[in-house]
């Protein structure tokens, strides 16, 4: 690994210490400490099989550098990333991002997809990090295309914006493969004997290289050996096996065709960049391969393609650049400055040394400070809890809660609000203002206290449910009806019961795989608790939207707490109802996203099963 170490005067070290970066695949984990922008040191490559999970892996690495205090980390995983909980598809590791962050004592832990990291690395690469294949000239502020054949075929793009680039999420590797000549048609026909759908990834990848080898061996009438992709690559580069040599030629041509399709689809006048684990290992062979000829072979658009440059990313571990960029963007914040943020920065030097540490934490990670309790804020700033309070009072606030409310408003651009009691003597103007302010205040507080792990679990249960039933009484019935209408749009069999006798009977008919969503402000209604007991006894799961300290919360599989207190003896529970409706909206959006995620995972699972069958066939 090339350490791009420069003098501290040229690249000042980060004020809050080095940052942990990692690129974690199925077999190897590559780790480094970023000391300053572009300065990656202490690079190590660890075997994933040597560790039971992410936390032991990172702990082992950090233990070797105890003299360096690490507060921030970003990991690139060869895995879809959705929500707080991560289940790796290429090994039996699963973890909560937030729990891992706490276990490691980090202020920040970001998890990103490895190909997102590769795409984000492109703007940080220098000419020495790239090898241009063929001609063409990159146009400034233009779209960039990215491909990466490895275990699969990653496809992405970078879209220029006013303040940098935005990564394009893509599953372009699963587009249908299109042959360009009789030889590629023979490869496709061979693949068709095993799979009805043959994607680009099926052939232009490590496992795909093995398929091409067997297809070309069959076409040449020779006996195929049980070669792995690395063996095919080595034999092809050394010209030790004519079929392997033909495989590389065919593979590079196919990749050129796919790269051209990406270029014309995106209008990638900023260039096409190729990474992954295969092409960089080809070295000079790739420069002379059919790749560029095939890239430009686009009929009427050949001249268009000839103007687009193509590059191989030749630097070691480019994902470090990507995760470093994503982490820097996160810590810097793209939401822009705010009046309160500017005020904190302005008076920071006037504070005591301990209060300055709190100020630095607020400026570096504003969203984290909003979401953490005082004990964790004090721990992360390495100060006492009273110091956190003194910091807030130095800014003119009554305490941490008052500071958080105003700070949240300054970050979001909302008007500062606070909770005020509605009184019978209030004018229409006053009570209107109080109702609106109280609702906004409650929503902001509710947002800061959301239990994302419970929401992830609830989304998972609902997305896989055979049927969903809503149980609610009184004012909560309108919330249940809203949820029934929302979930029914997802074609989930859904019903709602507001009569104690009916939902008790309904609960007894449930089966494992069914889900009950029980909604109650108090969580203490005996009829509702009895129905929940019956549902759990029948094997169904229960999601409770209620007070976190209620009996209903304790009986549920998952509790989504709504702990807003209201005087329901004088007024209807208006704000609690709005918070309950917000939770249902969050679940609805989450289910919609989850549906797309699981469609992708089903595709990955199918591919994995097919590869296992292929390996089994080879072994036999």
């Amino acid at each position: 690994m090339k350490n791009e170490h420069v003098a501290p005067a040229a690249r000042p070290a980060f004020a809050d210490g080095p940052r942990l970066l990692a690129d974690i695949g199925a077999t190897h984990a590559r780790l480094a400490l970023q000391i300053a922008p572009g300065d990656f040191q202490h690079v190590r490559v660890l075997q994933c099989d040597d560790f039971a999970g992410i936390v032991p892996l990172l702990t082992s690495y950090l233990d070797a550098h105890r003299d360096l205090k690490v507060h921030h980390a970003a990991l690139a995983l060869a895995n879809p990333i959705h929500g707080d909980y991560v289940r790796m598809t290429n090994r039996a590791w699963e973890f909560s991002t937030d729990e891992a962050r706490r276990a490691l004592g980090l202020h920040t832990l970001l998890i990103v997809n490895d190909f997102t990291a590769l795409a984000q690395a492109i703007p940080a690469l220098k000419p020495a990090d790239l090898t241009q294949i063929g001609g063409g000239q990159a146009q400034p502020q233009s779209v960039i295309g990215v491909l990466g054949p490895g275990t699969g075929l990653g496809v992405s793009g970078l879209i220029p914006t006013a303040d940098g680039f935005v990564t394009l999420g893509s599953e372009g590797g699963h587009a249908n493969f299109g042959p360009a000549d009789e030889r590629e048609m023979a490869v496709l026909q061979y693949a068709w004997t095993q799979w009805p759908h043959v994607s680009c990834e099926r052939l232009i990848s490590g496992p795909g290289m093995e398929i091409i080898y067997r297809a070309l061996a069959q076409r040449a009438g020779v006996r195929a050996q049980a070669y792995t992709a690395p063996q095919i690559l080595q034999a092809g580069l050394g010209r030790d096996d004519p079929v392997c040599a033909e495989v590389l030629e065919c593979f590079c041509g196919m990749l050129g065709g796919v790269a051209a399709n990406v270029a014309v689809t995106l209008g990638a006048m900023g260039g096409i960049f190729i990474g992954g684990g295969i092409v960089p290992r080809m070295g000079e062979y790739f420069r002379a391969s059919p790749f560029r000829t095939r890239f430009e072979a686009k009929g009427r658009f050949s001249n268009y393609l000839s103007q687009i440059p193509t590059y191989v990313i030749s630097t070691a571990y480019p994902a470090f650049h990507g995760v470093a960029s994503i982490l820097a963007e996160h810590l810097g914040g793209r939401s822009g400055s705010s009046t309160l943020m500017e005020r904190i920065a302005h008076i920071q030097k006037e504070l005591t040394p301990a209060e300055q540490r709190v100020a630095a934490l607020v400026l570096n990670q504003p969203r984290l400070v909003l979401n953490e309790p005082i004990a964790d804020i004090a721990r992360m700033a390495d100060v006492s809890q009273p110091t956190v309070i003194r910091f807030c009072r130095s800014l003119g606030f009554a305490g941490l809660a008052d500071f958080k409310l105003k700070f949240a408003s300054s970050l979001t651009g909302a008007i500062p609000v606070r909770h005020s009691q509605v009184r019978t003597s209030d004018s229409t103007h006053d009570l209107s203002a109080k109702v609106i302010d109280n609702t906004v205040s409650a929503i902001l507080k509710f947002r800061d206290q959301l239990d994302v792990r419970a929401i992830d679990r609830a989304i998972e249960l609902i997305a896989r449910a055979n049927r969903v039933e809503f149980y609610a009484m009184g004012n909560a019935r309108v919330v249940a009806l809203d949820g029934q209408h929302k979930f029914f749009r997802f074609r989930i069999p859904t019903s709602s019961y507001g009569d104690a006798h009916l939902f008790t009977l309904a609960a007894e008919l449930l089966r494992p795989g069914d889900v009950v969503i029980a909604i109650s402000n108090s969580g203490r209604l005996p009829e509702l608790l009895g129905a929940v007991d019956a549902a759990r006894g029948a094997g169904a799961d229960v999601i409770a939207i209620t007070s976190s300290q209620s009996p209903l919360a304790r009986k549920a599989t998952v509790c989504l707490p709504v702990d807003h207190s209201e005087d329901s003896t004088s007024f209807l529970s208006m704000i609690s109802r709005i918070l309950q409706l917000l939770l249902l909206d969050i679940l609805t959006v989450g289910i919609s996203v989850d549906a797309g995620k699981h469609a992708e995972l089903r595709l990955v699972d199918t591919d994995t099963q097919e590869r296992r069958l292929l390996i089994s066939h080879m072994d036999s």
Side-chain angles (χ1 to χ4, degrees):
M1 169 66 184
K2 176 181 66 178
N3 280 345
E4 300 175 313
H5 180 70
V6 298
R11 285 178 176 171
F14 296 121
D16 53 359
R19 299 171 180 178
L20 172 63
L21 308 176
D23 178 15
I24 300 174
T27 306
H28 298 98
R30 302 159 185 86
L31 303 101
L33 291 179
Q34 186 186 19
I35 306 301
D39 185 0
F40 307 123
Q41 297 187 16
H42 307 294
V43 177
R44 288 190 65 191
V45 179
L46 303 177
Q47 294 283 338
C48 293
D49 284 342
D50 293 340
F51 302 93
I54 286 285
V55 172
L57 170 73
L58 299 180
T59 300
S60 174
Y61 177 81
L62 290 173
D63 281 348
H65 306 287
R66 292 179 181 176
D67 56 319
L68 300 173
K69 198 164 187 179
V70 178
H71 296 296
H72 311 296
L75 316 180
L77 294 185
N79 205 77
I81 308 298
H82 299 279
D84 172 76
Y85 206 78
V86 178
R87 292 182 178 86
M88 295 186 65
T89 55
N90 51 20
R91 62 184 307 109
W93 286 1
E94 54 184 85
F95 60 95
S96 159
T97 302
D98 191 57
E99 288 178 2
R101 176 185 66 80
R102 293 174 185 274
L104 294 164
L106 297 171
H107 297 174
T108 307
L109 177 59
L110 299 184
I111 309 293
V112 300
N113 174 263
D114 63 335
F115 209 74
T116 297
L118 178 62
Q120 284 284 2
I122 302 300
L125 299 180
K126 303 176 181 62
D129 299 325
L130 304 168
T131 301
Q132 184 166 353
I133 308 298
Q137 181 70 38
Q139 301 300 312
Q141 287 302 109
S142 297
V143 175
I144 291 172
V146 189
L147 290 86
T151 304
L153 176 64
V155 177
S156 186
L158 288 171
I159 313 299
T161 65
D163 57 350
F165 286 90
V166 173
T167 304
L168 176 67
S170 169
E171 289 297 338
H174 293 286
N176 287 28
F177 172 73
D181 54 31
E182 183 274 334
R183 180 173 65 183
E184 291 181 8
M185 176 58 76
V187 173
L188 177 60
Q189 288 176 332
Y190 176 86
W192 271 338
T193 63
Q194 300 176 65
W195 305 284
H197 171 258
V198 178
S199 65
C200 296
E201 179 181 88
R202 180 71 69 190
L203 299 176
I204 307 169
S205 61
M209 189 175 284
E210 298 168 14
I211 296 170
I212 296 172
Y213 169 77
R214 292 193 296 276
L216 295 184
Q218 183 184 79
R219 182 170 179 261
V222 301
R223 183 175 180 274
Q225 303 297 318
Y227 287 153
T228 63
Q231 291 171 327
I232 294 169
L233 183 60
Q234 182 179 1
L237 292 175
R239 301 286 178 178
D240 300 328
D241 185 306
V243 177
C244 291
E246 188 180 10
V247 169
L248 298 195
E249 180 183 68
C250 186
F251 181 91
C252 293
M254 290 176 172
L255 180 59
V258 174
N261 289 340
V262 172
V264 295
T265 300
L266 298 181
M269 301 306 293
I272 294 290
F273 292 74
I274 300 172
I278 297 176
V279 173
R281 294 171 61 188
M282 293 185 179
E284 285 300 314
Y285 175 90
F286 191 73
R287 188 191 297 273
S289 77
F291 169 80
R292 183 69 193 189
T293 301
R294 177 71 175 279
F295 180 79
E296 296 183 12
K298 210 67 172 173
R300 292 172 295 167
F301 264 70
S302 292
N303 184 60
Y304 178 89
L305 269 301
S306 68
Q307 301 174 56
I308 298 177
T310 50
Y311 305 94
V312 174
I313 302 171
S314 51
T315 186
Y317 312 123
F320 287 162
H321 293 276
V323 289
S325 173
I326 293 168
L327 182 56
E329 179 180 312
H330 174 83
L331 295 177
R334 296 185 64 177
S335 58
S337 61
S338 65
T339 301
L340 186 50
M341 288 280 278
E342 291 170 351
R343 182 178 162 201
I344 294 170
H346 180 70
I347 72 164
Q348 185 174 9
K349 292 183 179 179
E350 302 173 11
L351 302 173
T352 67
E355 290 175 9
Q356 287 181 20
R357 291 199 290 274
V358 181
L361 178 64
V362 171
L363 293 172
N364 288 332
Q365 299 193 78
R367 299 289 177 188
L368 183 143
V369 170
L370 283 175
N371 294 323
E372 296 294 339
I374 187 172
D376 285 348
I377 293 173
R379 177 182 58 80
M380 290 184 286
D382 196 19
V383 299
S384 66
Q385 294 185 30
T387 299
V388 178
I389 302 300
R390 286 195 295 272
F391 163 78
C392 297
R393 290 176 177 170
S394 295
L395 293 168
F397 299 105
L400 181 60
D402 188 30
F403 168 75
K404 280 188 174 184
L405 180 59
K406 303 300 191 300
F407 191 42
S409 300
S410 71
L411 289 177
T412 60
I415 300 172
V417 292
R418 62 189 180 89
H419 186 87
S420 301
Q421 181 64 44
V422 177
R423 304 185 184 281
T424 55
S425 59
D426 284 338
S427 67
T428 303
H429 178 274
D430 288 341
L431 70 87
S432 299
K434 285 183 177 181
V435 168
I436 293 172
D437 283 356
N438 290 349
T439 303
V440 174
S441 175
I443 290 173
L444 289 174
K445 182 179 179 181
F446 183 65
R447 179 197 64 184
D448 295 341
Q449 296 175 347
L450 279 176
D451 185 344
V452 293
R453 290 187 295 276
I455 292 174
D456 276 342
R457 178 62 176 146
I459 290 170
E460 183 180 14
L461 289 175
I462 297 169
R464 290 166 172 74
N466 299 321
R467 63 180 290 105
V468 175
E469 294 187 349
F470 286 86
Y471 297 170
M473 298 176 67
N475 295 330
R477 286 194 64 185
V478 67
V479 181
L481 288 171
D482 182 74
Q484 180 192 11
H485 294 156
K486 283 185 169 72
F487 289 179
F488 192 72
R489 292 169 58 193
F490 292 105
R491 300 298 186 266
I492 301 174
T494 310
S495 55
S496 176
Y497 297 98
D499 179 273
H501 181 66
L502 288 179
F503 58 54
T504 300
L505 292 176
E508 295 172 351
L509 300 176
L510 295 173
R511 298 179 179 179
D514 296 336
V515 172
V516 168
I517 300 180
I519 307 171
S520 171
N521 288 328
S522 68
R524 298 179 182 279
L525 297 173
E527 302 90 343
L528 187 59
L529 296 176
V532 166
D533 285 337
R536 294 301 303 271
D541 288 297
V542 174
I543 299 170
I545 300 179
T546 187
S547 167
S548 62
Q549 301 302 315
S550 66
L552 177 58
R554 291 191 290 272
K555 289 177 179 290
T557 311
V558 178
C559 176
L560 304 181
V562 176
D563 289 323
H564 181 78
S565 58
E566 293 180 274
D567 182 7
S568 58
T569 60
S570 302
F571 306 102
L572 292 176
S573 301
M574 297 177 292
I575 294 177
S576 295
R577 185 173 65 224
I578 290 172
L579 299 181
Q580 292 164 354
L581 289 168
L582 276 174
L583 270 176
L584 289 179
D585 282 346
I586 293 170
L587 293 177
T588 302
V589 174
I591 292 166
S592 177
V593 172
D594 192 76
K597 174 183 72 174
H598 283 289
E600 175 183 310
L601 290 177
R602 282 195 296 272
L603 185 57
V604 172
D605 289 342
T606 301
D607 284 352
T608 302
Q609 292 169 8
E610 290 168 347
R611 286 173 186 162
R612 286 173 179 166
L613 288 173
L614 176 61
I615 294 170
S616 176
H617 176 71
M618 290 172 56
D619 290 342
S620 63

